Amino acid sequence: MNKAVTFITGLIAGVILTGILAMKMMPGMMLTTHESRYTTVEETCAALKTSIEANNWQSPATRNMTAAITKQGFTLDKQVSIVELCNARYAGDVLATNPEVSTLMPCAWGVYEGNDGKIYITGMNMGLMAKIFGGNIAKVMGGSVADDEAKMLTPVIAE
């Protein structure tokens, strides 16, 4: 009886510890960050837009978050922008089976000035996101979308 209680207590403690570790690690795993080869947010956003369109995707908008926040009476010390990207074929493929993920579309990259003065590009980790959702989302987002995003980022990120 004593061994069973010890085993169950250890099992419960292991599950709780695993859950805590997963919750602590998950935010860092959900995002991928790359240093830009460019020296300003504006140059990086322009280069991303060019690369997005060169890879047969669309970039419906670039949003200057610093300016938008300033208009509302708040300030950011650093430049932050969002570059949207979309591929209608992939979006249609995913939305046909999973319209609830429309909240994640279009895809976007954050472009910002870090505390070290360098420019960074951050996006969702499509491979991990795909695994979490599974099914058709895993097939499209974890395959074609992740591959295309890597191609689009290559000419923009620092070596």
Side-chain angles (χ1 to χ4, degrees):
M1 180 76 158
N2 199 14
K3 287 183 181 183
V5 170
T6 302
F7 173 76
I8 290 171
T9 303
L11 181 65
I12 291 170
V15 168
I16 290 170
L17 182 59
T18 300
I20 291 169
L21 286 173
M23 289 183 70
K24 291 285 185 186
M25 292 174 54
M26 196 60 76
M29 294 170 54
M30 297 299 289
L31 301 174
T32 59
T33 301
H34 307 278
E35 183 182 337
S36 172
R37 68 175 60 226
Y38 298 95
T39 58
T40 68
V41 168
E42 293 79 9
E43 288 174 309
T44 301
C45 290
L48 282 171
K49 182 175 176 59
T50 298
S51 187
I52 289 165
E53 292 171 352
N55 283 278
N56 299 313
W57 282 57
Q58 295 77 45
S59 182
T62 297
R63 303 186 189 286
N64 181 331
M65 298 305 293
T66 305
I69 289 170
T70 300
K71 283 183 184 178
Q72 299 298 317
F74 301 96
T75 58
L76 285 176
D77 294 335
K78 308 267 189 232
Q79 289 295 309
V80 179
S81 289
I82 298 171
V83 178
E84 294 180 355
L85 58 153
C86 183
N87 181 299
R89 181 172 47 110
Y90 297 148
D93 208 7
V94 168
L95 294 174
T97 58
N98 300 90
E100 66 276 8
V101 299
S102 59
T103 190
L104 300 174
M105 295 182 181
C107 296
W109 283 317
V111 180
Y112 60 94
E113 181 184 352
N115 290 333
D116 58 2
K118 295 178 181 177
I119 307 303
Y120 294 94
I121 304 161
T122 299
M124 296 299 294
N125 180 338
M126 285 300 163
L128 180 59
M129 289 289 292
K131 288 177 186 173
I132 290 170
F133 281 102
N136 188 48
I137 296 172
K139 184 181 108 194
V140 177
M141 302 297 275
S144 305
V145 171
D147 292 344
D148 282 4
E149 283 193 354
K151 289 177 199 169
M152 289 182 266
L153 285 168
T154 298
V156 183
I157 61 176
E159 296 177 359

